[in-house]
Amino acid sequence: MFSERAVSAPVAVVREAHAPDALVLDAASDFETLDPAVAEDLGLLVDGLEPHRYPAAWVPEDAPALLAQYAGGDFTIGAPGDGSVVWTRQTVPPTVLVKPRIEGSPDSFVDFLLADALVCLGLDVAVPGVENGGEGAVETGGPGAPPPTSPPPEHFLGFFREHYPDLAAATPLDPAGTYQLAAALYDAWLGLHTRDVFAAWVGGDAGGGEGDGNGDLAPLGDAWQDAGDRLEGRLDGLAGEVARGETDFPDAAELACAAVKHALELPAPYAALDTEAYRNRGAPFAVKWAEKTFEALD
C-alpha cells in the first residue's frame, strides 16, 4: 500500500531543514480518508503509531459523519479537501503521503507540494483560542490544553477545538458547507505561518538560515510564485460572484484562503483573514469574522 518516494535535491534540503526525520511515501491508491485498517499498514514502515482523538463535544450533532469518525478513536488519516499530498504526525516519525492522482502534474509543482507539507510538519506554533483550564484532549491524546507552542494540528478540528460548534452556529451554511469553510479558514491560518518560509525560497534559502546560499531552493520559490500567479486572476470579482449567486460562499472562501500562503492581496471580506490579528487570535477571530460576514450578506 505504501512505498518510499525518492525526492529531488531541493525537497531534500527542505526536509533536512524542517522535518529531518519525516518519511515521504507513495500511496498505492487515491484516498480522501484512509480506511483505519489500511492506515495501520503504515505501522510496517514507521517506528510507532500515535492516533489522535478529539472530544465528542467539539463535533455538532449534524456534522458530516466523517467528522465524527475523525474525532473518534479510529486511526484516521486524511480528510476531504486535503489535496494530493497529506502530512501526518500520527506516525513516528511523521509522514508525508503522496496520492497517485498527482502523476502528470509538473515536477516543480509536485516538489512545492512536498516541500509545503514538510514545512508544515516542522512548524512550532501556538494554537490560539483555547480556554484556560478547559476540558479536552490534545492530538497526542493527553488531557488539558495544548502547550504554548507545538506542531500545528493536521486537521481543522484541532484548530477550532471547542469553537467549531460556534462556527457552525455563526453561519447559515449546511454542515458540509461549514466543514468546507472551516478547512479553508484553517488553511489561511497555516498560510500566515508558512508563507515567509516560501518567500525565502525565491532567494534559495530553506528558511531559518539552513540554506546553503547557492540557490538550491530557487526552483521551489519559482513554483510558489507560479501557483500564486494562477490564483491571482481568480480572486478578481470574487465578492461579486458570491453576491450574484454565481459562486457558493464556501468555494469562494476556499479560493481566497488558499491565496494567503502565496502572499496575494485578498478582496473583501477575506482580507481580514490576512492579518496579524487572525494569526494571533485564531479560531475565535475566525468565528467572529464569519458571523460579521454573513450578517453583512443578509
Side-chain angles (χ1 to χ4, degrees):
M1 180 64 189
F2 304 101
S3 59
E4 190 165 358
R5 182 185 182 96
V7 299
S8 68
V11 174
V13 171
V14 173
R15 173 160 59 180
E16 182 61 28
H18 293 274
D21 296 332
L23 296 177
V24 180
L25 304 176
D26 282 321
S29 59
D30 286 320
F31 64 91
E32 286 192 328
T33 300
L34 281 178
D35 180 89
V38 174
E40 289 176 0
D41 286 347
L42 285 171
L44 301 175
L45 299 173
V46 299
D47 296 332
L49 303 176
E50 294 184 348
H52 63 208
R53 61 183 177 86
Y54 300 109
W58 294 359
V59 182
E61 290 186 2
D62 63 349
L66 180 60
L67 191 58
Q69 174 189 330
Y70 198 89
D74 289 340
F75 184 41
T76 305
I77 292 177
D82 277 351
S84 300
V85 174
V86 175
W87 53 270
T88 181
R89 282 189 167 275
Q90 296 184 77
T91 60
V92 181
T95 303
V96 175
L97 299 177
V98 184
K99 304 175 186 179
R101 71 186 192 192
I102 206 170
E103 298 304 323
S105 299
D107 290 345
S108 59
F109 182 62
V110 174
D111 278 355
F112 170 70
L113 293 181
L114 293 173
D116 181 5
L118 292 165
V119 169
C120 287
L121 280 175
L123 286 176
D124 185 34
V125 297
V127 182
V130 179
E131 304 299 334
N132 291 332
E135 297 292 330
V138 296
E139 292 211 0
T140 56
T149 61
S150 65
E154 64 188 70
H155 189 273
F156 70 73
L157 192 57
F159 170 69
F160 279 96
R161 297 171 62 91
E162 65 267 31
H163 302 284
Y164 186 66
D166 298 332
L167 178 69
T171 81
L173 300 173
D174 62 19
T178 301
Y179 183 105
Q180 185 179 0
L181 176 60
L185 291 169
Y186 182 48
D187 188 38
W189 187 80
L190 276 179
L192 292 171
H193 291 81
T194 59
R195 65 186 182 185
D196 288 344
V197 177
F198 302 156
W201 295 345
V202 176
D205 191 356
E210 289 88 349
D212 62 10
N214 294 324
D216 282 354
L217 301 184
L220 295 178
D222 291 343
W224 173 68
Q225 289 184 315
D226 289 345
D229 290 344
R230 290 195 298 270
L231 274 175
E232 192 166 19
R234 300 173 62 191
L235 296 175
D236 297 336
L238 197 58
E241 292 176 17
V242 173
R244 293 189 298 271
E246 298 170 1
T247 301
D248 291 337
F249 188 89
D251 290 336
E254 187 173 78
L255 180 62
C257 289
V260 172
K261 77 169 71 173
H262 296 283
L264 301 178
E265 184 175 347
L266 304 187
Y270 312 101
L273 300 171
D274 187 8
T275 59
E276 283 297 307
Y278 184 35
R279 176 179 170 133
N280 294 335
R281 293 177 55 202
F285 182 98
V287 171
K288 181 58 68 174
W289 172 84
E291 188 177 80
K292 290 184 175 180
T293 297
F294 280 97
E295 286 176 354
L297 290 175
D298 286 343

